[in-house]
Amino acid sequence: MASPPLLTQGLVAGRGSRPIARLPDLVAEAGQSVLVTGPSGSGKSTILFTLAGLLPPVAGAFQVEGRDPTPGDAALIFQDLHLLPALSVLENVLLGPFARGQRQDRGQALTLLADVGLAALSGRRAETLSRGEAQRASIARALLLQPKVLLADEPTASLDDEATERALDALLAAAGRCGSALVIASHDSRVRGRVDRVVQLAEAA
């Protein structure tokens, strides 16, 4: 039996040696979606940064497909989307593999933009996008990296109900298509009914 894309055990995230949040032990299977919830300031983003390899765990550990994680296993969609305004949507999507020294697959990038409903906007400058369109462009950029774990930090923040549904549709479909584990950090109640599992962060002792 294949190992799950994500397994955590006793994971405590923090800044330096200061613990901030404890994630209940979690097994996320391929295509499964998990909502990590808690009030603002509870450490949701810190947990995602740890799972993305941007911060070391304060305690505990996690595995990706049964092994210690390596760079490139996880792709993080930040709350601040970090699109370069002067570049086109397509060029922004291609920045992901470029930053990792990987081949830039223009054809696959265009396919992913079509999947998230942005095919017609691929040549438009990123600064002209709505918040919802920029969110979907960021999803396409993350998926081009073919991550085992897809992490989304407050992906529905500042989105209206229609844009929220489109962003969640794109995330859930992407996880299913790529066989990735999807972990969403959010306190948005609109997300709760769309995911397979909800996990409440605990305060780190």
Side-chain angles (χ1 to χ4, degrees), residues 28-55:
E29 302 289 349
Q32 187 177 31
S33 55
V34 179
L35 171 63
V36 176
T37 189
S40 296
S42 60
K44 298 186 297 298
S45 294
T46 306
I47 285 287
L48 288 198
F49 292 165
T50 302
L51 293 174
L54 301 177
L55 292 173

Side-chain angles (χ1 to χ4, degrees), residues 91-194:
E91 289 167 337
N92 269 281
V93 171
L94 291 170
L95 280 178
F98 174 78
R100 291 188 177 179
Q102 300 173 357
R103 185 175 71 89
Q104 295 173 286
D105 189 334
R106 182 184 177 91
Q108 181 62 16
L110 288 169
T111 297
L112 289 169
L113 284 171
D115 288 346
V116 297
L118 295 180
L121 304 183
S122 63
R124 183 183 292 184
R125 288 161 65 102
E127 64 186 358
T128 68
L129 299 180
S130 69
R131 175 75 185 186
E133 289 166 345
Q135 182 64 259
R136 285 182 279 138
S138 296
I139 293 170
R141 182 174 60 187
L143 291 176
L144 192 58
L145 300 171
Q146 298 183 316
K148 305 293 189 301
V149 182
L150 183 60
L151 307 166
D153 188 17
E154 297 286 2
T156 59
S158 303
L159 297 184
D160 61 27
D161 288 346
E162 181 179 354
T164 290
E165 287 301 308
R166 294 197 69 171
L168 291 174
D169 286 345
L171 281 168
L172 294 166
R177 184 170 56 251
C178 296
S180 304
L182 171 62
V183 181
I184 300 173
S186 179
H187 59 268
D188 187 343
S189 60
R190 296 174 297 180
V191 180
R192 184 178 292 267
R194 298 292 307 277

